Amino acid sequence: MAGGRRGGPSWGWGAAGDVQVSMPEVVEAESESTARIACGFSIPGNGSYSYIDWSYVDRGSEVKLLRVAGGEVLEEETSYKGRLSVGEDMALAISKVTPQDTRTFVCRVEAGSQGVGENRSELRVYKVPETPEIEASSAGIPAHSPSALKIAQCVSENSFPPANITWYKNGEQLQAEENKVKILATLTRKSSGLYTVSSSLLAVVTREDRSSLFHCAVHYWLRGQRLSKASRRVNVTIFYPTQHVELHIVPAAALVKEGDDVKLVCEADGNPAPVFSFYKKSPEDWQDLSSLADTSSGVLSLHGVNKSSSGLYRCQILDLDDMMQMEKEVELVVNYIEGVHVQMEPSSPLHEGDSVRLSCSAHSPVDLDFQWRDEKGRKVAEGNQLVLRNLTFETSSNFSCRVVARSVPGLERSKQVAVAVQGKPRIVAISSPLYVRQDEVVNLTCKAIAFPRPSVRWSINGTVRAGRGRAGFQAVPVCGALRCSPSPQTHEYVENQHVASNLTVRVSQDLLRAGAMCRVFNTLGVSEKHIQLLDGKTSESKGVIIVAIIVCILLVAVLGSVIYFLHKKGKIPCGRAGKQDITKPEARKDKNVVEVKSDKLAEEAGLLQGANGERGPAADQSEKYIDLRN
């Protein structure tokens, strides 16, 4: 591969006699490629050459490489043998060139009587350098050192001709400056003829350079152009003393609440980081908390803080660079809610119809909101007071006062209070009347509400049969006039203020006749109700009679509709001649007679029309009869 001279191709002409030879002054080729050196010539009268010799200059003497004569190439025994070839245009091609091939080559043309001509080209072999590798100083560099210290070293290998290295800080090129910046370069030539270039940067740094980025670049020439390759950017460790200390709370101090995990983070701007110590102000002195902290990172962790965790905290640092002490303080406020109390007015026992006022109070360093909720969690009111009027047993419930700090998410407390309405029992449900059969086992139900919790007694004709009271379960055999039935069983169910009692009993003649009495009582009074038992057979007989009456009414209505329909169609004649006295004994009583009355004059005229089409007098239109016997 042939190249041009720097700045553009330039050809030279050489002559000895009348033969002129033209060649480029400089040919450039990359290492390991094929270099092509052109040789153009001119012979007067379009004459031909006798031979062409190619040679190179070594230490002032020419060394013959080959001769082209009669269309043949005669190669000499040199170090180039096997790498040379000549094209049809007589250009010399050298394969796998190396830096050692950088020399001057001569093309000589012999034209017999026309004379001899020659010219020369300089072959320059280049190798693009590898991307430079940079290595920052592993040791920290103290700021404001009195002398320049090594920042980094840059190395680029396998270049030809030798490349040069430049240094940059934050993208700006550094120049050597007395007592501030020094650049030391070294050049090493390998056996292959390629070069390794190395450069060291020494500089005086400041604390502002802690974030500076340094890099190097290698520069080289290629085909008349100056190119470069840059290294990666590196940051160096710089040591400088602490100037400022900051102590802050995580999370933000305004949001800390009881139960939170809190971190006190102490930050110093020195490098290396100083030694951290933590203290809390006590009434007498400062309490050392360093045993709870990570003194290397400057973090004090407080888990599950409470009201007593509030106070003044101090972070103290010791800079090992200059042994200087600095400190910073911060106030930790733990938001809390305490003393949640619910007051009931009046505080005396409540009865049905009374009113009560519930007042909720609490203490906190922040503003509080109050909510009232029932035992199912439903919000019933807002504010620190809840007024309940016209109380009933059903009103009895557990209410809770929920106290919320609006400025501190998640901070809330609650207090529960029981509103118990006292009074004598009130029976709210009973299974009466109840249709039963004798000797049938039935369940009698009685449900009441009261506070204090009432007791239930069942009785027949004033005799206590069964019940569950404060003394425990009682069961008495139910003995009728004919037999003694098994003992009745009672089951009670309690839900809130309600008590439900079920009595399982066999129906006797006495029970059917007298019924049962449910008696509910507590310390404030007694309520009782009677359960009426009705014979199921009587109920069934009455039901049959009622059904029969309804069926008869329906039949009469259907029959009347049929008769009216037939009359309207003219199928049944009606007139004076057909009128019969249904009260006469000689009338046939086994036939049906239906009386029809009407107030419509048009229908009266139609019904009185005879078979011959004559109408009866108006005086006979008050009553009409239809004789269904014929």
Side-chain angles (χ1 to χ4, degrees):
M1 181 174 77
R5 182 177 176 271
R6 292 195 192 104
S10 177
W11 291 72
W13 290 86
D18 294 330
V19 178
Q20 294 183 342
V21 179
S22 63
M23 295 179 67
E25 293 181 8
V26 177
V27 174
E28 292 182 340
E30 187 176 3
S31 179
E32 298 299 321
S33 68
T34 298
R36 185 177 181 277
I37 305 173
C39 179
F41 54 88
S42 174
I43 301 174
N46 292 327
S48 61
Y49 65 90
S50 300
Y51 60 87
I52 297 175
D53 288 336
W54 278 97
S55 61
Y56 68 90
V57 179
D58 182 22
R59 298 174 186 176
S61 302
E62 291 188 14
V63 179
K64 188 175 180 180
L65 292 174
L66 57 81
R67 172 173 285 185
V68 180
E72 294 183 2
V73 178
L74 303 175
E75 189 172 354
E76 301 292 334
E77 294 292 335
T78 63
S79 61
Y80 283 93
K81 190 172 182 179
R83 293 197 293 145
L84 302 176
S85 63
V86 178
E88 292 181 358
D89 58 353
M90 298 304 155
L92 177 66
I94 307 172
S95 63
K96 296 183 179 180
V97 294
T98 66
Q100 287 84 347
D101 295 325
T102 301
R103 48 174 51 103
T104 300
F105 289 83
V106 180
C107 176
R108 180 180 290 108
V109 179
E110 171 68 35
S113 61
Q114 297 295 331
V116 179
E118 70 175 36
N119 208 340
R120 301 183 177 200
S121 287
E122 181 185 353
L123 175 61
R124 296 176 182 176
V125 178
Y126 67 88
K127 177 68 170 68
V128 176
E130 296 179 3
T131 301
E133 294 290 336
I134 188 171
E135 183 178 357
S137 175
S138 58
I141 305 170
H144 303 289
S145 173
S147 60
L149 300 178
K150 185 177 179 180
I151 303 297
Q153 183 176 12
C154 184
V155 177
S156 177
E157 296 185 347
N158 300 324
S159 65
F160 190 88
N164 66 301
I165 293 177
T166 55
W167 284 94
Y168 300 85
K169 181 178 79 171
N170 297 327
E172 295 185 2
Q173 185 175 349
L174 295 173
Q175 302 291 344
E177 187 176 351
E178 187 178 359
N179 297 329
K180 289 186 177 181
V181 179
K182 291 183 180 180
I183 299 175
L184 304 178
T186 59
L187 181 64
T188 304
R189 188 177 187 275
K190 298 181 179 181
S191 60
S192 61
L194 301 179
Y195 290 91
T196 296
V197 290
S198 176
S199 179
S200 297
L201 173 65
L202 292 80
V204 175
V205 295
T206 64
R207 65 184 296 122
E208 285 73 25
D209 289 322
R210 63 186 181 274
S211 58
S212 295
L213 296 176
F214 296 86
H215 80 279
C216 63
V218 60
H219 302 271
Y220 58 96
W221 285 93
L222 176 61
R223 297 189 181 96
Q225 294 182 350
R226 189 174 187 267
L227 305 177
S228 65
K229 289 184 176 182
S231 70
R232 62 186 178 91
R233 287 165 168 74
V234 296
N235 177 255
V236 295
T237 302
I238 299 176
F239 295 148
Y240 44 88
T242 300
Q243 292 182 340
H244 302 92
V245 178
E246 295 294 335
L247 179 60
H248 55 273
I249 299 171
V250 179
L255 301 178
V256 177
K257 63 181 182 299
E258 282 187 312
D260 283 350
D261 292 337
V262 175
K263 289 183 179 180
L264 274 68
V265 180
C266 191
E267 296 177 340
D269 60 356
N271 189 38
V275 177
F276 297 90
S277 300
F278 288 90
Y279 303 88
K280 181 186 178 185
K281 180 69 174 177
S282 63
E284 298 81 14
D285 202 353
W286 288 91
Q287 179 185 359
D288 190 353
L289 302 178
S290 300
S291 60
L292 305 176
D294 184 348
T295 55
S296 60
S297 63
V299 177
L300 173 63
S301 298
L302 303 176
H303 300 285
V305 297
N306 51 38
K307 177 183 178 182
S308 63
S309 302
S310 299
L312 185 64
Y313 289 80
R314 172 185 292 175
C315 169
Q316 188 177 83
I317 64 105
L318 174 62
D319 197 317
L320 299 178
D321 186 39
D322 55 7
M323 302 306 293
M324 178 182 290
Q325 282 190 350
M326 301 180 70
E327 59 187 33
K328 193 73 173 181
E329 296 176 354
V330 69
E331 183 79 20
L332 173 63
V333 177
V334 178
N335 297 295
Y336 61 89
I337 299 175
E338 67 176 6
V340 180
H341 177 68
V342 177
Q343 182 179 0
M344 184 185 302
E345 296 178 359
S347 58
S348 58
L350 301 173
H351 299 85
E352 286 196 299
D354 290 349
S355 297
V356 65
R357 181 190 303 273
L358 304 178
S359 300
C360 187
S361 61
H363 177 66
S364 175
V366 295
D367 293 336
L368 300 176
D369 290 334
F370 296 85
Q371 295 179 357
W372 294 91
R373 296 181 179 271
D374 60 17
E375 60 185 8
K376 294 183 178 179
R378 297 171 299 191
K379 185 170 71 172
V380 296
E382 292 186 352
N384 67 330
Q385 290 190 347
L386 174 64
V387 178
L388 303 174
R389 305 181 187 279
N390 194 21
L391 296 174
T392 64
F393 288 131
E394 289 79 5
T395 311
S396 298
S397 179
N398 291 324
F399 293 89
S400 62
C401 171
R402 183 168 174 257
V403 187
V404 180
R406 71 172 75 96
S407 61
V408 185
L411 179 58
E412 61 179 63
R413 296 290 184 270
S414 61
K415 184 73 173 182
Q416 194 174 72
V417 61
V419 177
V421 179
Q422 299 185 7
K424 74 173 188 177
R426 172 160 44 88
I427 298 176
V428 296
I430 196 167
S431 55
S432 179
L434 183 64
Y435 291 97
V436 299
R437 295 176 181 273
Q438 189 168 340
D439 293 333
E440 180 184 8
V441 176
V442 296
N443 288 324
L444 308 181
T445 301
C446 181
K447 185 175 182 180
I449 185 172
F451 185 82
R453 177 182 170 182
S455 300
V456 181
R457 293 287 186 272
W458 292 92
S459 61
I460 300 173
N461 284 334
T463 302
V464 176
R465 296 301 186 184
R468 184 184 298 272
R470 298 189 181 277
F473 175 77
Q474 298 180 3
V476 180
V478 179
C479 299
L482 301 178
R483 71 181 74 169
C484 185
S485 65
S487 299
Q489 299 292 327
T490 60
H491 302 277
E492 288 187 4
Y493 306 92
V494 179
E495 181 181 2
N496 297 331
Q497 308 295 328
H498 290 83
V499 176
S501 177
N502 291 334
L503 174 66
T504 303
V505 64
R506 186 182 298 277
V507 178
S508 65
Q509 186 65 33
D510 290 344
L511 182 61
L512 186 60
R513 181 180 64 256
M517 182 69 71
C518 172
R519 188 171 185 268
V520 186
F521 60 93
N522 62 9
T523 57
L524 299 179
V526 178
S527 293
E528 57 184 12
K529 281 193 176 181
H530 179 259
I531 296 180
Q532 181 183 7
L533 277 71
L534 302 177
D535 193 340
K537 293 183 178 180
T538 303
S539 174
E540 292 179 359
S541 300
K542 292 180 178 179
V544 171
I545 296 173
I546 293 174
V547 171
I549 293 174
I550 294 174
V551 171
C552 291
I553 293 174
L554 292 175
L555 289 175
V556 172
V558 171
L559 181 60
S561 300
V562 171
I563 294 174
Y564 180 76
F565 175 77
L566 295 176
H567 166 68
K568 292 292 289 182
K569 294 294 184 178
K571 302 297 183 177
I572 303 177
C574 183
R576 182 176 300 272
K579 184 175 180 181
Q580 301 291 333
D581 188 357
I582 60 175
T583 60
K584 293 181 179 181
E586 61 271 20
R588 295 173 59 183
K589 300 299 182 178
D590 57 338
K591 300 295 181 178
N592 293 325
V593 179
V594 178
E595 180 182 358
V596 179
K597 296 183 179 181
S598 176
D599 296 330
K600 295 182 181 180
L601 296 178
E603 291 185 0
E604 291 174 355
L607 291 175
L608 296 177
Q609 185 178 0
N612 55 1
E614 296 179 355
R615 299 179 181 268
D620 297 333
Q621 295 179 1
S622 59
E623 291 184 356
K624 296 89 180 177
Y625 297 91
I626 300 175
D627 190 351
L628 301 180
R629 291 176 293 180
N630 295 323

